[in-house]
Each structure stands twice: as structure tokens, then as C-alpha cells.
Amino acid sequence: VYRKLLDNILKNDLQTTYCVALQAMALSEIDPGKYQSRIAQCGQFLVDNQNPAGKWGYGEATKPSVPTSSPLREDLATGSGPLPPPGKKPVKTLPKVKLQLKQERKGKDKSDLSNCQYAALGLRACMEAEVWPPKDILEMGMSAWQTLQCDDGGWEYKQPKKVGYGSMTAGAVGSLIIYSHFLQKPWKTDEFVKKGLDWMAANYTVSDNPKDTYHKNSKEWWIYYLYAMERLGVLAEMPQIAGHDWYNEGAVQLLRIQTADGSWPSVTDRPIADTCFAILFLKRGTPPLVPVASEDNTKK
């Protein structure tokens, strides 16, 4: 089943920011060397769908064969080798070359911060597989988050307002840390990050999506928020938020409502997505950031 699903993903068109970013993350986790070519195609999609304001919407579909500005490693693109024995982890191969992408077109103006945070996650996966976007893509992505911070230090779904809410704020701070890390800037002294962390501390909870007035029910995107909190906790190296062990408290909440079949119920009839988010939280699915080489990997 795994091989069938993976082969299907590799053959499918690259269609939306969420799916492309998640594909890059998965392939980078499975084997960044073997799948560097496909990760490069994902990176090209993300680079080409950043709009002039530095943000992302759902994106315009592209074909898997879309050319990149660097030769694709077709010898590494297919992962047709044997699967490891049950219980054994596959041996990853590290990329042998650095691929430098170039923006071929600008994305559409329509955007939202949920797409933006997943674009940042996808770009991180690309860079860790030695697929590098232009430096100004990262700079514009970071600047967009800074521009959209709300008056209270949080973030909202589309436009800056007086108050932000949990899932967007956690996603925003995580994204700013990613951009700062790969641009080799000190995020711990960044005022936007500090205000965002203060917002998370002041509004800490693991029982709903705090301050979410954008949706009808603050439970609607609750598990999505928990996964964003998990990313923030790992990326910021924070085992506690406002003195709370966010992982243990969140895990207790999730395990209380897990259904008999192993899934998680969804307020908006989205059980598969919410189950995936719950597993990512419980598994601590976000890998810590690793040091970036001192050389300038991202070029204009």
C-alpha cells in the first residue's frame, strides 16, 4: 500500500500549495537524496506561486515535468528500490549536489496565511534537501508575516486586525523562525517573534483554538492549531509555554477523544485531516532545525 501511494504521488500533477509543501516534507523525510529531483519540482512550484507581496494562495497547477532552472536528478527521482524489512527504517541518501531555483513567474495576488505557513514548511524541506530558492523569496516571505502582525501581537487568517488567533499565530511564529534560520538571522531577538510568543503565552490553551472568532466554532480548527503549536514548540526549542507542558497537556486532551477505530472526530466532518494532525502532534512530527552552512546558499 505504501509503495502504491508513493508511486501515485510521484506521478500526480503538482496542484496546490498545501499538497506540494506536504509532498516536499514527506519526500525530504523519506529520502532527500533519492527524491531530490521531485523535491526540486515542488520547490519550483512554491517559488513560482509566491505573489508580489511575498504571500501564497492555493497556487496554479503545474505538471510534474515542469523544468527547473537546474537539471533534475532523474537518476534519483523514482524510488523504485526494495522496501526495508518490517520494523526497519529505510536508509536515507543525502543529496550530492545543490540545486538553485529561479523564479519563473509570479503567483496570484489572492492569498491567505494558512497557505503561507505551509509554503514555509515546504521551502524548509526543500532547503534541507539542498534545493535552494532565491534569497529574496525567503526575505519577502518573512516580510509578509511581519507586515501582517495584528495589533495584539498575534496573526489572523488574511488581513491584520486588532486581534489574532491561535492557529495563525503559532503558524506565523514558526514560519518566522524558519525564514530567520535559513537567512541566518537571530530570531530570538526578533521583535515580531517575541510579540508572537507573548501572545501565545497570554492566550495559552490546549482545549480549543484560542481567540478564533473567524470561524463559528473555536473547536473547528482545534487539532490543526495543536499541530501548529507542536511546530512552534519544536522550532523555538520551548518545552513549556507560559509554564505549561504543552505536549503532555495536549496529548491528554487528544487521547480523551480518540474514537474506538483510532481516528479523531472532526467538528467540520474532516476526520482524516484531523487524525493526521493529531498523529503529527503526538509523534512530535516536526524535526528540529539543523545548522545552516555559513556560505550563502540562497542567491538573488
Side-chain angles (χ1 to χ4, degrees), residues 47 98-102 123-124 126-128 130-140 142 178-185 292-300:
V47 167
K98 293 183 179 181
L99 301 181
Q100 183 67 51
L101 302 176
K102 178 181 178 181
L123 289 172
R124 175 203 174 174
C126 290
M127 289 182 283
E128 291 184 344
E130 296 293 2
V131 175
W132 290 87
K135 185 177 181 180
D136 59 354
I137 295 291
L138 304 182
E139 291 174 335
M140 289 174 63
M142 184 163 70
I178 288 171
Y179 287 129
S180 296
H181 177 77
F182 286 98
L183 288 168
Q184 300 186 48
K185 297 182 177 181
V292 178
S294 59
E295 62 183 288
D296 186 7
N297 291 296
T298 54
K299 302 181 186 300
K300 291 286 185 181

Side-chain angles (χ1 to χ4, degrees), residues 182-219:
F182 286 98
L183 288 168
Q184 300 186 48
K185 297 182 177 181
W187 64 263
K188 291 184 179 180
T189 57
D190 183 281
E191 289 301 316
F192 298 95
V193 171
K194 289 169 67 176
K195 289 180 181 178
L197 291 175
D198 287 345
W199 190 100
M200 291 293 296
N203 296 282
Y204 173 82
T205 182
V206 293
S207 59
D208 64 8
N209 190 3
K211 302 290 185 179
D212 182 7
T213 58
Y214 188 87
H215 303 99
K216 292 181 180 179
N217 188 334
S218 62
K219 283 282 191 181

Side-chain angles (χ1 to χ4, degrees), residues 261-276:
D261 66 1
S263 67
W264 272 264
S266 175
V267 173
T268 54
D269 194 27
R270 198 178 51 248
I272 294 177
D274 280 347
T275 296
C276 290

Side-chain angles (χ1 to χ4, degrees), residues 61-282:
T62 57
K63 297 290 184 182
S65 58
V66 61
T68 65
S69 299
S70 301
L72 290 177
R73 297 294 306 280
E74 296 299 343
D75 57 316
L76 300 176
T78 62
S80 55
L83 290 173
K88 294 282 187 178
K89 290 186 177 181
V91 177
K92 293 184 182 180
T93 57
L94 299 177
K96 296 180 180 179
V97 296
K98 293 183 179 181
L99 301 181
Q100 183 67 51
L101 302 176
K102 178 181 178 181
Q103 189 173 45
E104 306 289 350
R105 58 178 170 84
K106 294 285 187 181
K108 301 288 186 179
D109 287 341
K110 188 175 182 181
S111 62
D112 63 71
L113 296 193
S114 186
N115 274 296
C116 288
Q117 66 170 311
Y118 277 82
L121 295 172
L123 289 172
R124 175 203 174 174
C126 290
M127 289 182 283
E128 291 184 344
E130 296 293 2
V131 175
W132 290 87
K135 185 177 181 180
D136 59 354
I137 295 291
L138 304 182
E139 291 174 335
M140 289 174 63
M142 184 163 70
S143 177
W145 283 109
Q146 294 170 343
T147 301
L148 293 168
Q149 191 168 35
C150 298
D151 293 348
D152 67 346
W155 277 264
E156 216 258 350
Y157 180 62
K158 285 191 174 182
Q159 298 297 329
K161 297 183 179 180
K162 291 184 178 181
V163 296
Y165 63 91
S167 56
M168 291 298 98
T169 301
V173 177
S175 298
L176 284 171
I177 291 174
I178 288 171
Y179 287 129
S180 296
H181 177 77
F182 286 98
L183 288 168
Q184 300 186 48
K185 297 182 177 181
W187 64 263
K188 291 184 179 180
T189 57
D190 183 281
E191 289 301 316
F192 298 95
V193 171
K194 289 169 67 176
K195 289 180 181 178
L197 291 175
D198 287 345
W199 190 100
M200 291 293 296
N203 296 282
Y204 173 82
T205 182
V206 293
S207 59
D208 64 8
N209 190 3
K211 302 290 185 179
D212 182 7
T213 58
Y214 188 87
H215 303 99
K216 292 181 180 179
N217 188 334
S218 62
K219 283 282 191 181
E220 189 173 339
W221 293 91
W222 165 56
I223 305 182
Y224 171 89
Y225 156 70
L226 286 181
Y227 173 43
M229 178 186 283
E230 181 272 339
R231 296 197 307 270
L232 169 61
V234 173
L235 295 172
E237 301 175 346
M238 293 178 61
Q240 293 189 339
I241 297 176
H244 292 269
D245 185 331
W246 56 264
Y247 177 79
N248 284 337
E249 293 181 11
V252 167
Q253 293 285 340
L254 285 172
L255 295 176
R256 281 177 180 168
I257 65 167
Q258 188 178 23
T259 61
D261 66 1
S263 67
W264 272 264
S266 175
V267 173
T268 54
D269 194 27
R270 198 178 51 248
I272 294 177
D274 280 347
T275 296
C276 290
F277 291 137
I279 292 171
L280 285 166
F281 177 92
L282 292 170

